[in-house]
Amino acid sequence: MASLFSYSLRNMLARRLTTALTVGGMALVVFVFAAMLMLSEGLRTTLVLTGSPDNVVLLRQGAKTEMESSVDRDQAPLAESLPQVARAADGGPLAARELVVLITLNKRGTTKPSNVVIRGIGPHSLELRPQVKLKEGRMPRFGTSEIIAGESIARRFSGTGIGESLRFGLRDWTVVGIFEAGATGFSSEVWGDADQLMAAFRRSSYSVVVARMNERDGPSGLDGLRAGLAADPRLQLEGKRETRFYEEQSEMMAKFLGVLGTMLPAIFSLGAIIGAMITMHAAVANRVREIGTLRAIGFQRRDILRAFLLESLLLGASGGGIGLLLASTLQWVTISTMNFQTFSELAFSFTLSPRIAVWSLLFGTGMGCLGGILPAIKASRLVIVDALRAA
């Protein structure tokens, strides 16, 4: 096997130009394949990290998003009083009544508008989201028209820097702080007092109630909370683990990117496979005498088949490795797009996972295998005498 590997490698190096062109074509296809998967993974990871496994989101039955949900003012305290909800240091429920609305803002340096999430928060919202840290300025005072902006929003949208102001809901809102929330969706939001925002937008109900689950109840706590909600006819609410809730927000977009990430590389890969096939056919045509000599000195048909197939696999693996290496540089790129389910701007980064790396390498190697199988069979079927005479 070592001799076959050495033989195949030397043949690739002997045809540097055709090898480079074939590997380059495959690398391009693998780059697109990996980039689309990384895009989908980045979106999913951002939204999953937005939630905390210890929190539960209480929203209207049947609602899929915070925008669709509504929790009446009289329902919120009833839901917070369920025994599965943890207690805060002040003895009250460790929960936050939140409002989520969309506004339109212009991006810095342009007149291009985009939807931005405004989240009305409660006194315990920050305690419930430990991933959110104040980066600059201070927290907004409750009862005032003060807001803080996620660093992703402050960087890209006009009027969201410290000291700047935004006008929405017939009020001027002053930005008093910038917060960072890591690779989560909160970085793409603006936060302010929920009650002030409800008054500004003339809303009579909250969007959701977010609560911390009691640790003593363990994993069964959510079932107990759901049973408590179902037992009270005044509470037409359902509870979802926060991580699961945000993961559901990514499903539609992730599915779209997944289909796109499959279709585009599938089309491009046809060209790469044909290129590999042409390269290997040319290799067979130029080495007929060499193949005849190998057969004459004792190499079997299966050895010839393995040698050419191994060469095509090396081409594919090289293309896969280079394409994956190029795609890995995208991890430093942050992009923003509209989340189809919330219709709001969401910033996220390309994310390379071990699963994507393995799939990309297998994809590249598979293209090499498909492109080389027919030329390898052709080479293995050459008759010794005919091969030597052809020279």
Side-chain angles (χ1 to χ4, degrees), residues 272-349:
I273 290 171
I274 292 172
M277 198 174 290
I278 292 172
T279 300
M280 295 308 298
H281 269 299
V284 172
N286 291 331
R287 286 146 59 187
V288 171
R289 182 182 181 186
E290 191 176 300
I291 295 169
T293 303
L294 290 172
R295 294 278 288 115
I297 63 176
F299 281 87
Q300 302 297 313
R301 289 183 186 275
R302 61 175 177 273
D303 297 324
I304 303 299
L305 178 69
R306 287 174 183 170
F308 278 87
L309 196 54
L310 180 60
E311 191 172 327
S312 63
L313 289 175
L314 286 174
L315 286 172
S318 301
I322 294 172
L324 180 62
L325 187 64
L326 293 174
S328 67
T329 61
L330 294 175
Q331 293 180 94
W332 288 277
V333 177
T334 298
I335 63 169
S336 63
T337 186
M338 178 180 287
N339 187 337
F340 291 166
Q341 285 185 266
T342 62
F343 299 104
S344 60
E345 185 91 355
L346 179 68
F348 58 96
S349 301

Side-chain angles (χ1 to χ4, degrees), residues 3 23 111 127 132 202 216 223 245 254 265-266 320 335 342-343 355:
S3 60
V23 169
T111 56
E127 186 177 355
V132 177
R202 299 180 182 178
R216 67 167 187 271
D223 294 332
F245 174 74
I335 63 169
T342 62
F343 299 104
R355 178 183 63 85

